[in-house]
Amino acid sequence: MGYNVADIIEKALKIAVRRRAIYESIGQHKSDILYVKIFSNVLIKQMDKTVKYYESLLNEIRKVTFEEIDFSTYDKMSSLISNFNMRLNEINITSGREFLEFSLSLERAVYSLLVDIQGRFVKNTDDVHTRTYEILSDIILSKAKQIEMIERML
């Protein structure tokens, strides 16, 4: 059995769980800064929704057969995700605005990663009409909405 979109979603799920942990940690360490605590709670709830979204996608995907992703493409995608994970670090936050700017930067980086992964999946014009491409597009759209939410808070 080869790789498919479920493998990518599982990796995206791990990134979401890690981002949630970062937001939670910042909220706990900076609980004396009211806005950081509030923003942390909002972003944690958003990450919880993202995790549930990915989990429901995985449940749906496991019931259906999807296009396989060739090994070399999957290997490149996996490498991108691993490199991204190594760069995920908590920073020292001193204000609510700084926390939102950090969160916005992080969410934009995840968005860019997802777009890059989707782009690597496309080898010819037929690939944009696959279910895998549609699912990745939905995930990217969801991420864009999260970015817009953080931009509004800023």
Side-chain angles (χ1 to χ4, degrees):
M1 187 175 113
Y3 298 105
N4 65 29
V5 71
D7 299 295
I8 296 170
I9 293 172
E10 286 173 358
K11 291 182 180 293
L13 175 62
K14 289 177 185 176
I15 291 173
V17 168
R18 187 145 178 229
R19 288 189 343 261
R20 185 197 186 283
I22 289 171
Y23 293 152
E24 187 173 37
S25 177
I26 290 171
Q28 288 173 350
H29 290 107
K30 297 298 180 176
S31 60
D32 56 327
I33 304 172
L34 178 62
Y35 287 112
V36 170
K37 184 70 174 169
I38 291 169
F39 296 147
S40 173
N41 288 334
V42 169
L43 292 169
I44 288 169
K45 287 179 184 175
Q46 191 64 41
M47 285 295 96
D48 288 342
K49 289 179 185 177
T50 299
V51 166
K52 286 179 184 173
Y53 172 64
Y54 288 155
E55 289 172 343
S56 70
L57 271 176
L58 283 172
N59 288 334
E60 178 184 322
I61 288 169
R62 289 189 175 123
K63 298 174 187 173
V64 181
T65 303
F66 276 85
E67 307 85 13
E68 287 190 9
I69 300 172
D70 69 85
F71 179 75
S72 65
T73 302
Y74 179 78
D75 188 48
K76 290 174 189 171
M77 291 175 183
S78 186
S79 177
L80 283 172
I81 293 168
S82 294
N83 289 338
F84 181 85
N85 272 326
M86 286 190 289
R87 292 189 324 242
L88 269 182
N89 293 313
E90 183 178 327
I91 65 166
N92 185 29
I93 301 294
T94 58
S95 70
R97 181 162 190 80
E98 188 176 27
F99 181 54
L100 285 178
E101 288 170 353
F102 163 74
S103 301
L104 181 60
S105 174
L106 184 56
E107 296 304 321
R108 284 179 175 163
V110 172
Y111 177 86
S112 295
L113 174 66
L114 292 169
V115 169
D116 192 356
I117 288 170
Q118 184 185 41
R120 290 174 191 270
F121 172 74
V122 177
K123 298 293 182 196
N124 62 53
T125 56
D126 291 337
D127 290 340
V128 298
H129 302 293
T130 63
R131 185 71 179 124
T132 297
Y133 187 88
E134 291 172 10
I135 289 173
L136 291 172
S137 294
D138 289 344
I139 292 171
I140 290 167
L141 181 62
S142 173
K143 180 57 51 201
K145 289 178 183 177
Q146 289 176 348
I147 290 170
E148 288 173 14
M149 181 210 44
I150 295 171
E151 288 173 337
R152 283 192 307 270
M153 288 194 308
L154 262 170

